[in-house]
Amino acid sequence: MMSLFADELPWRFDLVPGAVVLHRFALHEASGLLETITAVASQATFRHLVTPGGLTMSVAMTNCGQKGWHSDAHGYRYTTHDPLSGKPWPDMPANLRLLAQRAAQEAGYPDFHPDACLINRYVPGARLSLHQDKDEQDRAAPIVSVSLGLPAVFQFGGATRQSPVQRVLLEHGDVVVWGGPSRLFYHGVQPLKEGAHPDTGAVRYNLTFRKTC
Ligand code: SIN
Ligand code: FE2
């Protein structure tokens, strides 16, 4: 007999106007996404970037797509080539692009054409402090975020650093889309708790799809 766990049923939740959590939206394709991450990382390895202020980030990152996000002493920016290898960033595989487009559509953004996918890797203790995604020139397009592996507490605030923050547990297969009036809202990830996920071990991955220009 098939058993259905309430936990695995999809539901949606509007954080603020323009921002929605699509619970378990990517669950059934998660193993394919993880294989794709491994393939991308074999071409463009995960690395701990350094902020313009000289701090090494606890989250390890890589990218696929026409553009990739990079940070160093000169600032935050998108590049066409991986500064580590000098090669173009790996192409964005179709399964990633299509998932991002379907999630954006579901959230009310039917014409999403991402040109960058930032891949974040968190181990226990890794975190992302409150920030805005503002290195993209195209502010009409939303951000689509896909979570895989260990759960993490996502913080979603408002237009200023002082705005009240909502906290949502993002689990394996969850997707968050924010755009429109919430496109530049502050967000972050609390330190990842210890744990072991059957598909990733002690790791959380997050994919964020962006339209940079
Ligand atoms: C990000 O803000 O770029 C990533 C968010 C996350 O890891 O959930
Ligand atoms: Fe972000």
Side-chain angles (χ1 to χ4, degrees), residues 118 120 122 128 131 133 145 147 154 170 178 187 189 204 206 208 210:
L118 172 63
N120 291 155
Y122 298 74
L128 204 56
H131 67 278
D133 290 356
S145 143
S147 293
F154 182 60
L170 294 184
W178 64 94
H187 58 278
V189 177
R204 170 181 188 255
N206 176 267
T208 43
R210 298 122 186 271

Side-chain angles (χ1 to χ4, degrees), residues 90-165:
D91 286 339
M92 189 186 301
N95 59 331
L96 265 59
R97 181 188 308 279
L98 291 170
L99 166 64
Q101 288 175 335
R102 272 195 292 117
Q105 165 115 28
E106 183 70 23
Y109 302 98
D111 284 311
F112 185 47
H113 299 287
D115 59 1
C117 174
L118 172 63
I119 307 175
N120 291 155
R121 185 182 69 191
Y122 298 74
V123 295
R127 61 192 289 268
L128 204 56
S129 54
L130 221 52
H131 67 278
Q132 297 169 289
D133 290 356
K134 59 176 184 190
D135 301 322
E136 303 76 22
Q137 285 161 24
D138 186 327
R139 303 279 168 81
I143 303 285
V144 173
S145 143
V146 179
S147 293
L148 297 165
L150 282 184
V153 178
F154 182 60
Q155 301 172 303
F156 199 80
T160 74
R161 202 173 272 287
Q162 286 71 36
S163 309
V165 167

Side-chain angles (χ1 to χ4, degrees), residues 192-203:
L192 194 77
K193 289 203 178 124
E194 297 283 349
H197 188 277
D199 297 339
T200 63
V203 174

